[in-house]
Amino acid sequence: MPVALPFAPSIADYRVGTTLDGVQYILDVRWNGRDSAWFFDILAEDETPIRRGIKVVLGTSLGGRTADAAFPRGIIIAADLSGAGRDAGFDDIGTRVLVYFFPLSEL
């Protein structure tokens, strides 16, 4: 079953914990005003970086080219719930645009 990552709109920089496929991760989430885009880092529970600078973009596997074995085993994708096909603006992440994790075991 896919899991929506716990992203929150309108907060420019924050940290949140989540469990993906039974493993605890930390997500550092930030808005980049120059690029008008959301980015996030995935860290292990002990704060060891696994992947940094993942840009939230529709239509692609986010962080999918990561070779680190600690990266969540599955696919992370962003979806525009309005159907408009627009990437998330500052107030859209976690509302109009959700980021989902699909475990490898369910693909």
XYZ file of all heavy atoms in Angstrom:
819
model
N 0.840 -1.182 0.000
C 0.000 0.000 0.000
C 0.885 1.245 0.000
O 1.810 1.359 0.799
C -0.886 -0.027 1.240
C -1.861 1.088 1.308
S -3.099 0.657 2.537
C -3.620 2.259 2.959
N 0.658 2.178 -0.907
C 1.489 3.387 -0.943
C 1.299 4.224 0.324
O 0.238 4.219 0.939
C 1.001 4.142 -2.175
C -0.328 3.568 -2.490
C -0.372 2.188 -1.931
N 2.360 4.930 0.667
C 2.358 5.812 1.838
C 2.625 7.225 1.352
O 3.582 7.459 0.605
C 3.463 5.391 2.829
C 3.568 6.360 3.984
C 3.247 3.977 3.316
N 1.802 8.192 1.773
C 2.062 9.599 1.449
C 3.107 10.119 2.430
O 2.963 9.963 3.649
C 0.790 10.423 1.547
N 4.177 10.708 1.906
C 5.188 11.291 2.784
C 4.582 12.489 3.504
O 3.776 13.225 2.924
C 6.414 11.703 1.973
C 7.127 10.564 1.228
C 8.380 11.081 0.535
C 7.460 9.414 2.140
N 4.944 12.700 4.759
C 4.296 13.733 5.581
C 4.806 15.147 5.310
O 5.334 15.823 6.198
C 4.615 13.273 7.010
C 5.935 12.581 6.878
C 5.902 11.906 5.531
N 4.646 15.605 4.079
C 5.059 16.953 3.718
C 3.965 17.948 4.085
O 2.778 17.647 3.970
C 5.374 17.055 2.232
C 6.620 16.310 1.803
C 6.807 15.967 0.494
C 7.600 15.957 2.712
C 7.940 15.297 0.072
C 8.745 15.285 2.316
C 8.920 14.957 0.989
N 4.384 19.141 4.489
C 3.445 20.183 4.914
C 3.614 21.417 4.032
O 4.736 21.804 3.726
C 3.690 20.549 6.373
N 2.512 22.046 3.645
C 2.597 23.243 2.805
C 3.010 24.469 3.608
O 2.836 24.524 4.829
C 1.166 23.398 2.281
C 0.318 22.807 3.352
C 1.122 21.661 3.923
N 3.563 25.439 2.908
C 3.784 26.797 3.426
C 4.779 26.890 4.572
O 4.811 27.890 5.279
C 2.448 27.425 3.865
O 1.473 27.271 2.858
N 5.613 25.866 4.768
C 6.696 25.918 5.752
C 7.988 25.743 4.959
O 8.209 24.693 4.350
C 6.555 24.819 6.816
C 5.204 24.911 7.518
C 7.706 24.898 7.822
C 4.901 23.730 8.427
N 8.833 26.748 4.960
C 9.970 26.786 4.044
C 11.074 25.777 4.351
O 11.804 25.377 3.456
C 10.566 28.186 4.008
N 11.211 25.350 5.602
C 12.328 24.483 5.968
C 11.952 23.726 7.239
O 11.709 24.343 8.274
C 13.575 25.334 6.196
C 14.855 24.534 6.316
O 14.800 23.294 6.313
O 15.923 25.163 6.425
N 11.906 22.407 7.170
C 11.540 21.629 8.355
C 12.062 20.205 8.240
O 12.488 19.754 7.175
C 10.027 21.621 8.575
C 9.217 21.043 7.450
C 8.800 19.719 7.470
C 8.862 21.819 6.347
C 8.058 19.184 6.436
C 8.117 21.293 5.310
C 7.721 19.978 5.363
O 6.983 19.456 4.329
N 12.030 19.504 9.362
C 12.445 18.107 9.451
C 11.261 17.295 9.956
O 10.550 17.717 10.866
C 13.624 17.971 10.405
C 14.064 16.538 10.655
C 15.323 16.492 11.468
N 16.443 16.629 10.548
C 17.705 16.387 10.874
N 18.021 16.033 12.105
N 18.659 16.524 9.972
N 11.091 16.100 9.381
C 9.992 15.228 9.785
C 10.472 13.781 9.710
O 11.296 13.438 8.864
C 8.747 15.467 8.885
C 9.001 15.114 7.451
C 7.542 14.747 9.418
N 9.978 12.961 10.610
C 10.298 11.544 10.590
C 9.178 10.758 9.938
O 8.018 11.167 9.972
N 9.529 9.627 9.345
C 8.535 8.762 8.721
C 9.044 7.334 8.686
O 10.253 7.096 8.751
C 8.176 9.251 7.297
O 7.030 8.542 6.844
C 9.314 9.073 6.319
N 8.127 6.406 8.580
C 8.470 4.986 8.438
C 8.073 4.551 7.040
O 6.921 4.720 6.627
C 7.717 4.133 9.489
O 8.064 4.595 10.788
C 8.097 2.673 9.364
N 9.039 3.987 6.311
C 8.799 3.498 4.954
C 9.218 2.039 4.901
O 10.373 1.721 5.175
C 9.582 4.320 3.931
C 9.320 5.824 3.928
C 10.259 6.521 2.953
C 7.871 6.111 3.599
N 8.284 1.186 4.595
C 8.527 -0.253 4.504
C 9.177 -0.796 5.786
O 10.097 -1.594 5.744
C 9.377 -0.567 3.273
C 9.151 -1.985 2.754
O 8.084 -2.566 3.021
O 10.062 -2.512 2.079
N 8.702 -0.289 6.937
C 9.167 -0.761 8.234
C 10.461 -0.158 8.737
O 10.957 -0.544 9.799
N 11.032 0.795 8.000
C 12.302 1.429 8.384
C 12.070 2.905 8.677
O 11.387 3.589 7.908
C 13.359 1.275 7.257
C 14.666 1.950 7.632
C 13.577 -0.208 6.930
N 12.645 3.379 9.784
C 12.525 4.797 10.158
C 13.497 5.648 9.341
O 14.671 5.287 9.201
C 12.844 4.983 11.639
C 11.699 4.705 12.570
C 10.609 5.738 12.424
O 9.486 5.391 12.103
N 10.900 6.985 12.641
N 12.999 6.774 8.827
C 13.824 7.725 8.083
C 13.524 9.126 8.597
O 12.476 9.390 9.186
C 13.512 7.692 6.585
C 13.895 6.401 5.919
C 12.963 5.391 5.735
C 15.196 6.189 5.478
C 13.308 4.193 5.131
C 15.554 4.998 4.868
C 14.608 4.006 4.701
O 14.959 2.824 4.102
N 14.452 10.028 8.333
C 14.268 11.451 8.592
C 14.262 12.150 7.240
O 15.093 11.856 6.369
C 15.410 12.017 9.464
C 15.432 11.317 10.822
C 15.274 13.528 9.622
C 16.685 11.597 11.631
N 13.323 13.067 7.063
C 13.254 13.865 5.837
C 13.504 15.322 6.185
O 12.841 15.873 7.060
C 11.875 13.731 5.188
C 11.388 12.314 4.890
C 9.954 12.351 4.387
C 12.293 11.627 3.890
N 14.494 15.924 5.555
C 14.712 17.361 5.656
C 14.089 17.967 4.402
O 14.527 17.659 3.286
C 16.203 17.709 5.727
C 16.790 17.439 7.098
O 16.028 17.403 8.079
O 18.023 17.267 7.199
N 13.086 18.795 4.589
C 12.295 19.338 3.476
C 12.507 20.839 3.416
O 12.505 21.517 4.445
C 10.784 19.020 3.679
C 9.979 19.471 2.479
C 10.577 17.537 3.964
N 12.713 21.366 2.206
C 12.932 22.812 2.088
C 12.417 23.341 0.746
O 12.432 22.652 -0.266
C 14.396 23.157 2.280
C 15.295 22.630 1.210
C 16.768 22.657 1.631
N 17.559 21.810 0.778
C 17.598 20.492 0.838
N 16.881 19.850 1.717
N 18.337 19.804 0.003
N 11.983 24.586 0.801
C 11.534 25.318 -0.383
C 12.712 26.105 -0.919
O 13.417 26.782 -0.177
C 10.391 26.251 -0.013
C 9.976 27.163 -1.128
C 10.207 28.507 -1.210
C 9.241 26.809 -2.299
N 9.669 29.000 -2.365
C 9.067 27.981 -3.061
C 8.718 25.620 -2.788
C 8.391 27.997 -4.275
C 8.047 25.625 -3.997
C 7.888 26.810 -4.724
N 12.943 26.021 -2.229
C 13.983 26.806 -2.882
C 13.277 27.884 -3.695
O 12.704 27.598 -4.754
C 14.835 25.905 -3.783
C 15.948 26.652 -4.459
O 15.741 27.720 -5.029
N 17.141 26.086 -4.423
N 13.286 29.110 -3.186
C 12.597 30.212 -3.846
C 13.179 30.571 -5.196
O 12.456 30.977 -6.104
N 14.474 30.437 -5.345
C 15.116 30.765 -6.625
C 14.655 29.811 -7.726
O 14.418 30.214 -8.856
C 16.631 30.689 -6.481
C 17.364 31.082 -7.762
C 18.853 31.061 -7.592
N 19.225 32.005 -6.547
C 20.437 32.117 -6.045
N 21.404 31.343 -6.489
N 20.698 32.992 -5.107
N 14.508 28.535 -7.373
C 14.081 27.519 -8.331
C 12.562 27.322 -8.317
O 12.021 26.590 -9.151
C 14.775 26.196 -8.000
C 14.791 25.214 -9.153
O 14.622 25.639 -10.303
O 14.969 24.016 -8.893
N 11.882 27.947 -7.348
C 10.430 27.758 -7.151
C 10.077 26.273 -7.104
O 9.195 25.790 -7.831
C 9.625 28.463 -8.247
O 9.791 29.851 -8.143
N 10.788 25.544 -6.251
C 10.588 24.098 -6.167
C 10.892 23.602 -4.752
O 11.642 24.225 -4.002
C 11.492 23.386 -7.163
N 10.295 22.454 -4.426
C 10.555 21.768 -3.170
C 11.671 20.756 -3.372
O 11.754 20.098 -4.411
C 9.299 21.031 -2.701
C 8.265 21.945 -2.151
C 7.163 22.436 -2.787
C 8.242 22.505 -0.837
N 6.461 23.250 -1.955
C 7.096 23.315 -0.739
C 9.074 22.398 0.270
C 6.763 24.010 0.408
C 8.743 23.090 1.423
C 7.598 23.882 1.489
N 12.519 20.631 -2.354
C 13.594 19.638 -2.327
C 13.544 18.926 -0.984
O 13.073 19.492 0.005
C 14.967 20.316 -2.474
C 15.244 20.861 -3.834
C 14.736 22.093 -4.223
C 16.014 20.154 -4.735
C 14.987 22.607 -5.485
C 16.269 20.667 -6.001
C 15.762 21.890 -6.380
N 14.048 17.693 -0.955
C 14.152 17.006 0.326
C 15.371 16.095 0.343
O 15.885 15.689 -0.694
C 12.873 16.238 0.663
C 12.554 15.059 -0.226
C 12.835 13.767 0.180
C 11.935 15.241 -1.450
C 12.512 12.681 -0.621
C 11.594 14.171 -2.255
C 11.900 12.874 -1.836
N 15.837 15.837 1.567
C 16.929 14.915 1.820
C 16.351 13.731 2.583
O 15.422 13.897 3.379
C 18.022 15.546 2.685
C 18.552 16.852 2.127
O 18.553 17.020 0.895
O 18.985 17.695 2.932
N 16.923 12.564 2.372
C 16.553 11.383 3.144
C 17.757 11.003 3.992
O 18.869 10.840 3.470
C 16.144 10.211 2.235
C 14.917 10.588 1.402
C 15.873 8.955 3.069
C 14.461 9.496 0.447
N 17.512 10.880 5.294
C 18.552 10.503 6.234
C 18.116 9.260 7.001
O 16.916 9.038 7.209
C 18.820 11.628 7.230
C 19.324 12.947 6.654
C 18.172 13.852 6.274
C 20.201 13.633 7.647
N 19.098 8.475 7.434
C 18.813 7.335 8.296
C 18.375 7.862 9.655
O 18.555 9.041 9.976
C 20.053 6.454 8.428
N 17.846 6.974 10.471
C 17.367 7.357 11.800
C 18.467 7.990 12.646
O 18.208 8.869 13.460
C 16.783 6.131 12.497
C 16.056 6.437 13.772
C 15.367 5.218 14.336
O 15.756 4.071 14.023
O 14.417 5.426 15.112
N 19.732 7.583 12.416
C 20.866 8.156 13.160
C 21.400 9.438 12.512
O 22.463 9.927 12.866
C 21.981 7.138 13.322
C 22.649 6.758 11.993
O 22.234 7.270 10.926
O 23.585 5.939 12.018
N 20.662 9.976 11.536
C 20.956 11.217 10.813
C 22.071 11.089 9.776
O 22.557 12.086 9.263
C 21.225 12.380 11.775
C 20.039 12.686 12.660
C 20.204 13.939 13.501
O 21.115 14.740 13.227
O 19.404 14.104 14.436
N 22.452 9.866 9.442
C 23.415 9.652 8.366
C 22.721 9.948 7.041
O 21.666 9.368 6.753
C 23.910 8.189 8.358
O 24.511 7.897 9.609
C 24.898 7.950 7.224
N 23.284 10.850 6.228
C 22.650 11.160 4.942
C 22.635 9.946 4.010
O 23.620 9.229 3.892
C 23.539 12.261 4.355
C 24.312 12.799 5.506
C 24.470 11.671 6.474
N 21.488 9.738 3.377
C 21.343 8.672 2.385
C 21.287 9.289 0.993
O 21.985 8.853 0.082
C 20.072 7.837 2.655
C 20.199 7.129 4.006
C 19.841 6.841 1.523
C 18.924 6.459 4.466
N 20.493 10.323 0.845
C 20.397 11.042 -0.441
C 19.975 12.479 -0.164
O 19.026 12.725 0.567
C 19.374 10.357 -1.342
C 19.101 11.050 -2.660
C 20.257 10.868 -3.650
N 20.171 11.782 -4.757
C 19.588 11.516 -5.921
N 19.033 10.352 -6.140
N 19.573 12.412 -6.871
N 20.684 13.422 -0.730
C 20.397 14.843 -0.539
C 19.941 15.478 -1.845
O 20.284 15.029 -2.933
C 21.644 15.570 -0.041
C 22.072 15.157 1.340
C 23.133 16.132 1.870
N 23.619 15.760 3.159
C 23.074 16.156 4.313
N 22.009 16.907 4.304
N 23.598 15.783 5.458
N 19.160 16.552 -1.717
C 18.806 17.370 -2.865
C 17.857 16.735 -3.859
O 17.982 16.962 -5.068
N 16.894 15.972 -3.383
C 15.912 15.368 -4.281
C 14.846 16.419 -4.585
O 14.161 16.897 -3.691
C 15.263 14.127 -3.647
C 16.326 13.085 -3.301
C 14.204 13.548 -4.592
C 15.807 11.933 -2.456
N 14.736 16.780 -5.841
C 13.751 17.777 -6.258
C 12.409 17.109 -6.505
O 12.332 16.065 -7.166
C 14.221 18.476 -7.537
C 13.317 19.602 -7.987
C 13.894 20.296 -9.216
C 13.015 21.443 -9.663
N 13.596 22.133 -10.847
N 11.345 17.699 -5.972
C 9.999 17.163 -6.167
C 9.506 17.599 -7.540
O 9.212 18.774 -7.770
C 9.035 17.636 -5.050
C 7.619 17.132 -5.327
C 9.521 17.173 -3.691
N 9.442 16.633 -8.448
C 9.036 16.857 -9.830
C 8.031 15.774 -10.197
O 8.240 14.601 -9.888
C 10.248 16.780 -10.787
C 9.834 16.951 -12.234
C 11.303 17.789 -10.401
N 6.967 16.154 -10.859
C 5.984 15.176 -11.303
C 6.555 14.311 -12.424
O 7.412 14.754 -13.187
C 4.727 15.881 -11.831
C 3.973 16.785 -10.868
C 2.799 17.442 -11.582
C 3.504 16.034 -9.644
N 6.075 13.077 -12.523
C 6.396 12.234 -13.668
C 7.749 11.573 -13.650
O 8.231 11.146 -14.699
N 8.388 11.472 -12.489
C 9.697 10.831 -12.407
C 9.825 10.100 -11.084
O 9.144 10.426 -10.122
C 10.828 11.866 -12.584
O 12.077 11.193 -12.656
C 10.855 12.860 -11.453
N 10.698 9.133 -11.037
C 10.992 8.421 -9.798
C 11.979 9.286 -9.008
O 13.120 9.486 -9.420
C 11.612 7.056 -10.113
O 12.004 6.418 -8.921
N 11.523 9.818 -7.890
C 12.341 10.749 -7.101
C 13.444 9.990 -6.371
O 13.172 9.074 -5.601
C 11.465 11.512 -6.110
C 10.287 12.271 -6.722
C 9.461 12.931 -5.639
C 10.770 13.293 -7.732
N 14.679 10.370 -6.636
C 15.818 9.703 -6.016
C 16.079 8.326 -6.580
O 16.854 7.558 -6.027
N 15.458 8.011 -7.685
C 15.501 6.671 -8.250
C 16.860 6.182 -8.700
O 17.055 4.989 -8.850
N 17.798 7.050 -8.903
C 19.128 6.639 -9.364
C 20.106 6.479 -8.209
O 21.308 6.401 -8.422
C 19.676 7.653 -10.359
C 18.854 7.705 -11.624
C 19.452 8.650 -12.603
N 18.562 8.750 -13.755
C 18.634 9.671 -14.658
N 19.550 10.607 -14.568
N 17.798 9.696 -15.662
N 19.588 6.415 -7.009
C 20.436 6.288 -5.832
C 20.951 4.865 -5.701
O 20.172 3.914 -5.721
C 19.644 6.672 -4.564
O 19.180 7.998 -4.714
C 20.497 6.574 -3.329
N 22.265 4.720 -5.544
C 22.874 3.399 -5.410
C 23.003 2.978 -3.945
O 23.290 1.818 -3.668
C 24.245 3.398 -6.074
N 22.793 3.888 -3.009
C 22.949 3.590 -1.587
C 21.939 2.526 -1.162
O 20.728 2.692 -1.331
C 22.747 4.874 -0.780
C 23.160 4.729 0.671
O 22.963 3.648 1.255
O 23.689 5.711 1.225
N 22.427 1.439 -0.590
C 21.555 0.338 -0.161
C 20.605 0.753 0.956
O 19.595 0.085 1.183
C 22.411 -0.845 0.293
N 20.886 1.850 1.643
C 20.019 2.331 2.722
C 18.808 3.104 2.196
O 17.885 3.391 2.953
C 20.822 3.213 3.676
N 18.815 3.462 0.904
C 17.683 4.185 0.320
C 16.444 3.300 0.415
O 16.525 2.081 0.231
C 17.967 4.533 -1.148
C 16.991 5.499 -1.752
C 17.128 6.861 -1.534
C 15.934 5.053 -2.534
C 16.227 7.765 -2.097
C 15.041 5.941 -3.092
C 15.189 7.297 -2.870
N 15.275 3.893 0.707
C 14.055 3.082 0.819
C 13.848 2.195 -0.407
O 13.960 2.651 -1.540
C 12.944 4.135 0.924
C 13.626 5.356 1.444
C 15.017 5.316 0.896
N 13.533 0.924 -0.157
C 13.339 -0.046 -1.244
C 11.944 0.108 -1.826
O 10.986 -0.446 -1.305
C 13.588 -1.453 -0.736
C 15.043 -1.641 -0.307
C 15.397 -3.060 0.012
N 14.905 -4.060 -0.911
C 15.495 -4.403 -2.058
N 16.589 -3.790 -2.447
N 14.983 -5.356 -2.814
N 11.881 0.903 -2.870
C 10.622 1.170 -3.536
C 10.756 2.358 -4.455
O 11.859 2.762 -4.818
N 9.630 2.928 -4.812
C 9.598 4.073 -5.719
C 8.914 5.239 -5.017
O 7.884 5.066 -4.371
C 8.847 3.719 -7.023
C 9.613 2.631 -7.784
C 8.652 4.948 -7.898
C 8.880 2.119 -9.007
N 9.500 6.428 -5.158
C 8.917 7.653 -4.619
C 8.497 8.513 -5.800
O 9.319 8.815 -6.675
C 9.923 8.410 -3.730
C 10.380 7.523 -2.561
C 9.302 9.705 -3.207
C 11.503 8.115 -1.731
N 7.211 8.883 -5.833
C 6.710 9.710 -6.931
C 5.807 10.820 -6.387
O 5.207 10.677 -5.325
C 5.932 8.893 -7.983
C 4.715 8.214 -7.357
C 6.823 7.878 -8.674
C 3.751 7.649 -8.372
N 5.739 11.914 -7.133
C 4.852 13.032 -6.787
C 3.646 12.987 -7.714
O 3.778 12.697 -8.907
C 5.584 14.360 -6.943
N 2.477 13.275 -7.141
C 1.242 13.263 -7.926
C 0.459 14.549 -7.700
O 0.306 14.995 -6.566
C 0.386 12.061 -7.523
N -0.014 15.144 -8.791
C -0.867 16.330 -8.738
C -2.316 15.861 -8.657
O -2.870 15.362 -9.636
C -0.641 17.193 -9.976
C -1.502 18.438 -10.008
O -2.381 18.605 -9.127
O -1.319 19.259 -10.919
N -2.919 16.005 -7.485
C -4.282 15.507 -7.281
C -5.334 16.278 -8.065
O -6.437 15.781 -8.279
C -4.623 15.529 -5.789
C -3.710 14.702 -4.884
C -4.181 14.779 -3.445
C -3.616 13.263 -5.352
N -4.986 17.482 -8.536
C -5.953 18.268 -9.304
C -6.037 17.797 -10.757
O -6.968 18.167 -11.468
C -5.578 19.752 -9.279
O -4.456 20.007 -10.124
N -5.028 17.040 -11.189
C -4.992 16.583 -12.575
C -4.426 17.614 -13.536
O -4.352 17.374 -14.731
N -4.008 18.768 -13.022
C -3.492 19.835 -13.875
C -2.063 19.569 -14.360
O -1.611 20.204 -15.308
C -3.533 21.170 -13.138
N -1.352 18.674 -13.701
C 0.018 18.362 -14.123
C 1.023 19.438 -13.788
O 2.034 19.563 -14.465
N 0.760 20.217 -12.729
C 1.682 21.288 -12.321
C 2.467 20.850 -11.095
O 1.907 20.289 -10.154
C 0.911 22.565 -11.984
C 0.257 23.215 -13.190
C -0.471 24.507 -12.822
N -1.586 24.222 -11.898
C -1.712 24.761 -10.688
N -0.832 25.618 -10.237
N -2.745 24.449 -9.926
N 3.773 21.125 -11.107
C 4.604 20.831 -9.947
C 4.138 21.654 -8.750
O 3.423 22.652 -8.895
C 6.079 21.127 -10.253
C 6.697 20.083 -11.170
O 6.402 18.885 -10.992
O 7.480 20.469 -12.055
N 4.562 21.238 -7.569
C 4.115 21.873 -6.324
C 4.702 23.262 -6.147
O 5.910 23.448 -6.239
C 4.509 21.006 -5.134
N 3.827 24.233 -5.887
C 4.253 25.555 -5.466
C 4.413 25.567 -3.955
O 4.207 24.552 -3.281
N 4.748 26.701 -3.391
C 5.015 26.829 -1.958
C 3.858 26.321 -1.100
O 4.069 25.681 -0.075
C 5.338 28.294 -1.615
C 5.721 28.506 -0.187
C 6.909 28.004 0.318
C 4.886 29.215 0.660
C 7.261 28.190 1.640
C 5.237 29.415 1.992
C 6.426 28.910 2.482
N 2.631 26.580 -1.504
C 1.464 26.199 -0.712
C 0.831 24.877 -1.159
O -0.238 24.516 -0.668
C 0.403 27.306 -0.786
C 0.906 28.622 -0.222
O 1.573 28.596 0.824
O 0.631 29.671 -0.829
N 1.469 24.155 -2.074
C 0.842 22.984 -2.685
C 1.342 21.631 -2.189
O 0.642 20.634 -2.330
C 1.038 23.009 -4.205
C 0.428 24.230 -4.844
O -0.655 24.654 -4.414
O 1.046 24.770 -5.786
N 2.558 21.573 -1.646
C 3.095 20.276 -1.222
C 2.280 19.775 -0.029
O 1.963 20.535 0.876
C 4.603 20.373 -0.887
C 5.236 18.990 -0.831
C 4.848 21.097 0.399
C 5.799 18.542 -2.110
N 1.866 18.537 -0.084
C 1.060 17.977 0.997
C -0.422 18.271 0.875
O -1.224 17.801 1.672
N -0.797 19.062 -0.129
C -2.217 19.358 -0.358
C -2.578 18.964 -1.791
O -3.049 17.868 -2.026
C -2.548 20.850 -0.096
O -1.728 21.674 -0.925
C -2.336 21.215 1.364
N -2.307 19.841 -2.749
C -2.597 19.526 -4.152
C -1.613 18.502 -4.700
O -1.965 17.630 -5.488
C -2.545 20.799 -5.016
C -2.835 20.527 -6.502
C -2.766 21.777 -7.355
N -1.496 22.457 -7.329
C -0.413 22.088 -8.031
N -0.432 21.015 -8.794
N 0.705 22.786 -7.943
N -0.361 18.595 -4.283
C 0.662 17.647 -4.725
C 1.098 16.803 -3.534
O 1.556 17.337 -2.522
C 1.882 18.374 -5.342
C 2.994 17.380 -5.661
C 1.474 19.136 -6.599
N 0.906 15.494 -3.665
C 1.351 14.556 -2.637
C 2.523 13.753 -3.181
O 2.604 13.480 -4.381
C 0.227 13.608 -2.237
C -0.984 14.233 -1.556
C -1.989 13.144 -1.172
C -0.581 15.031 -0.327
N 3.427 13.384 -2.279
C 4.571 12.553 -2.631
C 4.335 11.190 -1.984
O 4.160 11.097 -0.768
C 5.893 13.187 -2.154
C 7.069 12.286 -2.512
C 6.078 14.573 -2.767
N 4.322 10.158 -2.813
C 4.014 8.801 -2.358
C 5.227 7.890 -2.435
O 6.043 7.994 -3.357
C 2.926 8.174 -3.238
C 1.571 8.791 -3.108
C 1.090 9.670 -4.066
C 0.749 8.481 -2.024
C -0.169 10.229 -3.963
C -0.520 9.032 -1.906
C -0.972 9.903 -2.878
O -2.218 10.467 -2.778
N 5.286 6.963 -1.476
C 6.269 5.881 -1.498
C 5.521 4.582 -1.767
O 4.572 4.247 -1.059
C 7.011 5.790 -0.167
C 7.867 4.564 -0.052
C 9.055 4.462 -0.755
C 7.476 3.501 0.738
C 9.840 3.312 -0.669
C 8.253 2.358 0.838
C 9.430 2.264 0.143
N 5.940 3.870 -2.816
C 5.396 2.565 -3.157
C 6.470 1.527 -2.840
O 7.514 1.504 -3.495
C 5.051 2.480 -4.653
C 3.883 3.337 -5.047
C 4.057 4.684 -5.345
C 2.613 2.804 -5.137
C 2.992 5.480 -5.717
C 1.541 3.579 -5.517
C 1.722 4.921 -5.801
N 6.245 0.661 -1.842
C 7.246 -0.356 -1.502
C 7.492 -1.301 -2.660
O 6.567 -1.645 -3.404
C 6.626 -1.107 -0.326
C 5.518 -0.245 0.177
C 5.075 0.597 -0.977
N 8.736 -1.729 -2.807
C 9.127 -2.640 -3.873
C 8.311 -3.932 -3.814
O 7.943 -4.495 -4.845
C 10.619 -2.957 -3.763
C 11.284 -3.648 -4.928
C 11.145 -2.822 -6.202
C 12.734 -3.909 -4.617
N 7.969 -4.362 -2.615
C 7.221 -5.606 -2.441
C 5.812 -5.533 -3.033
O 5.175 -6.558 -3.240
C 7.132 -5.965 -0.961
O 6.451 -4.950 -0.238
N 5.317 -4.323 -3.299
C 3.966 -4.163 -3.839
C 3.947 -3.770 -5.313
O 2.884 -3.524 -5.874
C 3.215 -3.127 -3.008
C 2.993 -3.589 -1.595
C 2.129 -2.649 -0.799
O 1.399 -1.834 -1.396
O 2.198 -2.720 0.436
N 5.106 -3.684 -5.922
C 5.160 -3.293 -7.341
C 5.116 -4.508 -8.237
O 5.468 -5.570 -7.926
C 6.422 -2.478 -7.610
C 6.505 -1.153 -6.880
C 7.837 -0.483 -7.156
C 5.374 -0.240 -7.283
